[in-house]
Amino acid sequence: MTRESRTEKNQLFDAIIIGAGPAGLMAAIASHQPGRKICILEKMPLPALKLKISGKGRCNITNAAERRDFLSHFGPNSRFLKPAFANFFNTDLISFFESLGIRFKLERGGRWFPQSDDAHEIVRALFGHIRNLGITLQTHSAVADILPLPDGELQVTVSDSSRKTGVPETKILIGKRVVL
């Protein structure tokens, strides 16, 4: 099958993100560049379910600790986190959400919460931003397989259970990159 016929039949994305939890949503946002086609796949009927109930529904978004203190809680595994936290840490996360219109308050123990005490506000801000960026979000989409293709792209087989017939539909997506 040629690349042309493969991409006519199947959807081609620059990046396919598997999972619409906080990490997947932020990965999709971080992957965005004008002209890039990005897709988030979520097996559940609604994305970010755990985020909506985090912090007893208030969403303790991050901690105010300094990087060194924060990393000390991870023991020897903290080495793995250092590069990521050097590029994007707690103050960056607060600034990102403030740019989306959310205001925060700092509570005892150095915990940051939205002023509204409503985790749904965080979720709505993320989805609004994803929608504004033109990122595709597909729910009811369980990944069944990921196969490398000869040209370096990846074939992602998805079982879409959103059909009213109750019979899942199998779809093939092609991605230049896949983030798990």
Side-chain angles (χ1 to χ4, degrees):
M1 183 183 313
T2 67
R3 177 187 170 96
E4 289 75 26
S5 64
R6 199 177 67 233
T7 55
E8 284 172 17
K9 183 178 174 185
N10 307 307
Q11 294 178 292
L12 175 64
F13 293 94
D14 293 292
I16 298 172
I17 314 296
I18 300 174
L25 298 173
M26 291 300 286
I29 291 166
S31 298
H32 177 265
Q33 292 177 6
R36 280 184 116 189
K37 193 173 175 186
I38 299 170
C39 177
I40 307 168
L41 300 173
E42 173 58 50
K43 67 181 174 183
M44 302 299 287
L46 295 171
L49 289 174
K50 290 181 184 176
L51 183 58
K52 291 176 185 175
I53 61 170
S54 66
K56 297 181 182 175
R58 296 177 57 219
C59 195
N60 172 208
I61 194 82
T62 191
N63 190 287
E66 294 294 324
R67 189 174 303 133
R68 180 181 293 230
D69 183 35
F70 192 89
L71 288 169
S72 72
H73 295 281
F74 293 93
N77 294 327
S78 67
R79 289 187 323 272
F80 173 75
L81 297 170
K82 282 182 183 179
F85 286 163
N87 290 311
F88 192 86
F89 195 52
N90 54 9
T91 55
D92 302 304
L93 185 64
I94 295 294
S95 294
F96 168 75
F97 279 106
E98 285 179 338
S99 77
L100 299 180
I102 297 178
R103 299 295 165 241
F104 291 91
K105 59 183 174 180
L106 183 61
E107 293 190 2
R108 63 177 170 73
R111 298 175 302 152
W112 285 102
F113 289 92
Q115 282 183 356
S116 66
D117 283 329
D118 185 4
H120 290 86
E121 181 181 20
I122 299 290
V123 173
R124 283 189 301 271
L126 282 171
F127 290 125
H129 193 53
I130 284 168
R131 192 172 29 260
N132 290 341
L133 294 174
I135 295 171
T136 301
L137 172 63
Q138 296 181 14
T139 59
H140 297 91
S141 297
V143 174
D145 202 10
I146 303 172
L147 295 171
L149 297 173
D151 59 4
E153 293 173 341
L154 296 154
Q155 175 180 299
V156 180
T157 304
V158 179
S159 177
D160 181 345
S161 63
S162 66
R163 296 178 54 180
K164 293 179 181 164
T165 63
V167 178
E169 174 187 1
T170 299
K171 299 188 295 188
I172 303 292
L173 305 180
I174 306 297
K176 294 178 182 176
R177 305 261 190 287
V178 173
V179 178
L180 298 172

